[in-house]
Amino acid sequence: MQNPDKKGTPLEGLLVLDFTWVLAGPFATMILADLGADVVKVEAPGVGDFSRRYAPFVAEVSHYFQSINRSKRSLILNLKHERGRELARRLASKADVLVENFVPGTMARWGLAYEDLRPLNPRLVYASCSGFGQTGPYAQRPAFDIIVQALAGTMSITGEPGRPPVRVGFSAADLGGALFTTIGILAALRERERSGLGQQVDVSMLDAQVALLENAFTRYFTTGEVPSPLGTRHSVIVPFQGYPSKDGQFVVAAGNQPQWLAFCRALGLGRLAEDARFATPSQRAANVLDLEREVSARTATLTSQECLTALAAADVPCAPVQTIDQVVADPQLAERGMFIETQHKRAGRLRAAGSPVKMSRSRVATPRACPDLGEHSAEVLGEILGLRDEEVEALRRDGVI
Amino acid sequence: MQNPDKKGTPLEGLLVLDFTWVLAGPFATMILADLGADVVKVEAPGVGDFSRRYAPFVAEVSHYFQSINRSKRSLILNLKHERGRELARRLASKADVLVENFVPGTMARWGLAYEDLRPLNPRLVYASCSGFGQTGPYAQRPAFDIIVQALAGTMSITGEPGRPPVRVGFSAADLGGALFTTIGILAALRERERSGLGQQVDVSMLDAQVALLENAFTRYFTTGEVPSPLGTRHSVIVPFQGYPSKDGQFVVAAGNQPQWLAFCRALGLGRLAEDARFATPSQRAANVLDLEREVSARTATLTSQECLTALAAADVPCAPVQTIDQVVADPQLAERGMFIETQHKRAGRLRAAGSPVKMSRSRVATPRACPDLGEHSAEVLGEILGLRDEEVEALRRDGVI
């Protein structure tokens, strides 16, 4: 099990048995793989992770699947077959961590619930990430990102004022669940260092999304006012928003009084700095629409670059609204090595966003291409369970793997 | 240091020295506090964490501050005073973790850079969360949520098609940075169990945000097409979006063929199931605007509740777009205990979103009210450094604490 990809990574030596599919679960186990865990992705014969079928493809490799399954190994296990379930139990008895994101009860039907596995491996950290959690009236409902963004209130505070709510453009609900699941797993591993015992971690995408909306809730609890979409604006700080330009839009965050004054001067709007309606932060907040009108009338006559150059020269925090191609070309992200590539044997070079966790002494794992379905079945069963080639061949013949 | 609040929590016994302010840093240390770490928030005399001044207030307690600083202790240290810096170094030599989210170089000016502290405490995990990271051309720029959402491409894919981009309604860039910082800290702690050594963790809000946009980037790398705002729609799956109703909007996620057929029947749109334009997933994706027009014309004649009742009866995943007050009243979140309250000595009951990490054997810390500025100065210096009351009094007289 000496894997050169993992040497010197913080989670080197950690075996993760991964029953996840599509997004929240696979994103969590990709974080663990980037940090050096040995992630064995258990997939059903024939189809595997459903997201292997999401378009677009390069040489039949789904861009979606590859973006969240790098550096994992794939093992086919037919869990409808008793010998498949038996292999899963034997692997779980050797693993440090098991992760699954099925609708609650699914793993139990295969005899793979936490209660089934704990007697075999009391040290196992068993993480369940689901739409709504293992308990409560919605527990059995399937969840999708947009369902959770709608129920959690995220959509109700995202969009333009007076227009319909919009969905956050990335899968915020799935990924929030993934990140808190990862945190739960790592916290349970630390607890295990002291107690010697594993436990079940139960994270719900809905709970995670609500936690991330923190100040929308406290604002409501404090004022009784129901937050609504603000376009690009901040709920309290002004100016902290996007403004239109001749050729698009740019953003400004002028959080304090010197920045406010510098903002006015930089845009040739010195008269606003004298205007009683905008004299203090709370007056600017109260008259934010008047201010928006005044500023927009001016910025719409300039290009984004003209506005940004003037604001940057005056030390006012500001930025262009970058499109995805511009982000890919951003020099800061190049310097940070945030776009990685893997070499896939059929699809060739595959590029993706990398790990944002940098450490001074440890390193993230060298990224390897996402696995083909069952690519590592023989390797994993040989390495972890000591199965011989003939045994693996027999399992394959019998449709177990 | 036996703290009943922390007993039985996964991070019990972990001492975190917290130099963070406003959002990304404090959110990370709140997660650690919820998981049972002893978080000592180090604040400047007079002002403290700047977010203590963010409106609205209850009895002069900022709703914003309280939402991300529960269960921490507050220690005033005047870092402009050499004796203040000396106390900080002595505390760092006893801590497991230090977290800071200043512009890079700030801690170094106080003699509190990682390189300064490592010789005093080689086991220290020193986490730096910044807008752009400790390296690279933008490193010295201050960052705010909207600046990072603009630069990372988040805004460019959020909003309605053909209209200006919008900001995600919660501070997605700050909180993404917070979550990956927490993951980095916990991973470094696990590595320390083996090596006996700490290290610096360097997380940038921009890197974190880019990592969370994963499939927007792989889609671009695969197709060369630059993703743009889609309103409520998914980039591939159809129907997976919001539709208007007589009284608002609701969302549907019909990811497979049986759900598609059930969707049509449930809404009295059986003819669409027969329509050649919508026969397969890829045809529905290609003709998504035609489909939207057809479906919207029908749903706009019904209430959201009528649509949701019919869809739920047909087992099509769907949900109302809940507003924040409706989320607070949601029975699932009540069952999960996701809204917690603390008792503040002046402000009384303060409510907020709680921790989404549930464990079967460990528990999260019992939430305590956010601290007043310097509330625990004497307690912390006595408990951790063994200072006597007279010594603390002298420090206070001299303006050190």
Side-chain angles (χ1 to χ4, degrees), chain A residues 63 67 132 138 150-151 160 163 191 197 199-200 202 207 214 218 322 332 336 358 360-362, chain B residues 63 67 132 138 150-151 160 163 191 197 199-200 202 207 214 218 322 332 336 358 360-362:
Chain A
H63 90 97
S67 77
F132 302 104
Y138 305 173
L151 286 174
E160 296 180 62
R163 295 191 54 88
E191 198 279 340
L197 295 173
Q199 58 185 315
Q200 185 170 18
D202 163 16
D207 291 354
E214 41 79 30
T218 49
Q322 296 200 114
Q332 177 69 14
R336 300 282 291 174
K358 316 268 186 236
S360 61
R361 197 165 45 70
S362 299
Chain B
H63 90 98
S67 77
F132 302 105
Y138 305 172
L151 286 173
E160 295 180 64
R163 295 191 54 88
E191 198 278 341
L197 295 172
Q199 58 185 316
Q200 185 170 18
D202 164 16
D207 291 354
E214 42 80 29
T218 49
Q322 296 199 116
Q332 178 69 15
R336 301 282 291 174
K358 317 267 185 237
S360 61
R361 198 165 44 71
S362 300

Side-chain angles (χ1 to χ4, degrees), chain B residues 49-332:
Chain B
D49 182 338
F50 196 72
S51 74
R52 288 183 179 274
R53 304 212 168 163
Y54 288 179
F57 301 93
V58 179
E60 296 181 344
V61 176
S62 158
H63 90 98
Y64 188 102
F65 179 81
Q66 73 95 353
S67 77
I68 48 179
N69 287 287
R70 64 167 170 263
S71 303
K72 303 177 186 176
R73 301 199 278 181
S74 171
L75 162 69
I76 291 177
L77 280 188
N78 185 351
L79 297 175
K80 293 181 179 146
H81 199 299
E82 172 48 30
R83 283 161 68 201
R85 296 192 291 271
E86 175 57 26
L87 287 171
R89 282 190 289 270
R90 285 173 62 191
L91 287 166
S93 72
K94 306 259 187 183
D96 296 288
V97 176
L98 182 152
V99 193
E100 60 93 9
N101 67 329
F102 294 110
V103 173
T106 307
M107 291 292 277
R109 283 201 295 280
W110 293 319
L112 298 171
Y114 177 57
E115 297 68 30
D116 298 317
L117 300 179
R118 183 175 43 181
L120 308 179
N121 181 2
R123 289 176 56 81
L124 184 67
V125 170
Y126 185 111
S128 297
C129 176
S130 58
F132 302 105
Q134 301 298 302
T135 56
Y138 305 172
Q140 291 303 309
R141 295 192 196 171
F144 298 90
D145 182 75
I146 196 172
I147 302 284
V148 176
Q149 286 201 28
L151 286 173
T154 315
M155 285 179 63
S156 82
I157 60 169
T158 303
E160 295 180 64
R163 295 191 54 88
V166 304
R167 176 176 171 262
V168 173
F170 66 98
S171 294
D174 273 281
L175 300 189
L179 290 163
F180 275 111
T181 298
T182 309
I183 288 169
I185 290 168
L186 294 170
L189 286 170
R190 178 166 198 280
E191 198 278 341
R192 189 179 79 168
E193 297 284 349
R194 290 203 315 281
S195 68
L197 295 172
Q199 58 185 316
Q200 185 170 18
V201 176
D202 164 16
V203 170
S204 124
M205 284 162 53
L206 181 63
D207 291 354
Q209 189 66 171
V210 163
L212 293 172
L213 261 53
E214 42 80 29
N215 103 68
F217 290 109
T218 49
R219 241 184 301 156
Y220 168 68
F221 288 135
T222 305
T223 65
E225 287 162 30
V226 179
S228 59
L230 295 174
T232 61
R233 297 204 313 268
H234 193 273
S235 59
V236 181
I237 307 169
V238 177
F240 189 107
Q241 67 174 93
Y243 290 106
S245 68
K246 215 155 64 177
D247 56 353
Q249 200 194 31
F250 63 94
V251 302
V252 178
N256 60 37
Q257 201 67 8
Q259 285 170 342
W260 156 247
L261 299 174
F263 167 82
C264 296
R265 277 193 304 269
L267 294 177
L269 292 165
R271 62 185 166 79
L272 297 182
E274 314 291 314
D275 193 318
R277 289 173 299 169
F278 312 130
T280 66
S282 54
Q283 284 168 304
R284 289 194 290 279
N287 299 304
V288 61
L289 294 180
D290 286 358
L291 181 64
E292 183 171 286
R293 216 164 13 244
E294 300 266 10
V295 174
S296 299
R298 169 70 179 151
T299 56
T301 67
L302 303 166
T303 64
S304 290
Q305 197 48 62
E306 286 167 338
C307 295
L308 292 169
T309 302
L311 290 165
D315 276 334
V316 178
C318 60
V321 178
Q322 296 199 116
T323 49
I324 295 298
D325 53 328
Q326 293 169 323
V327 181
V328 168
D330 190 291
Q332 178 69 15

Side-chain angles (χ1 to χ4, degrees), chain A residues 338-396:
Chain A
M338 268 307 293
F339 294 105
I340 53 118
E341 53 183 70
T342 56
Q343 283 295 332
H344 190 279
K345 52 191 170 305
R346 289 186 316 282
R349 185 175 78 137
L350 295 175
R351 300 183 70 196
S355 169
V357 180
K358 316 268 186 236
M359 296 188 180
S360 61
R361 197 165 45 70
S362 299
R363 61 179 195 82
V364 297
T366 310
R368 281 178 314 181
C370 63
D372 280 345
L373 180 59
E375 180 176 345
H376 306 94
S377 291
E379 176 184 311
V380 164
L381 294 174
E383 212 176 272
I384 301 175
L385 298 185
L387 264 58
R388 295 188 312 273
D389 290 355
E390 316 85 80
E391 292 175 293
V392 170
E393 212 28 69
L395 288 166
R396 199 165 267 148

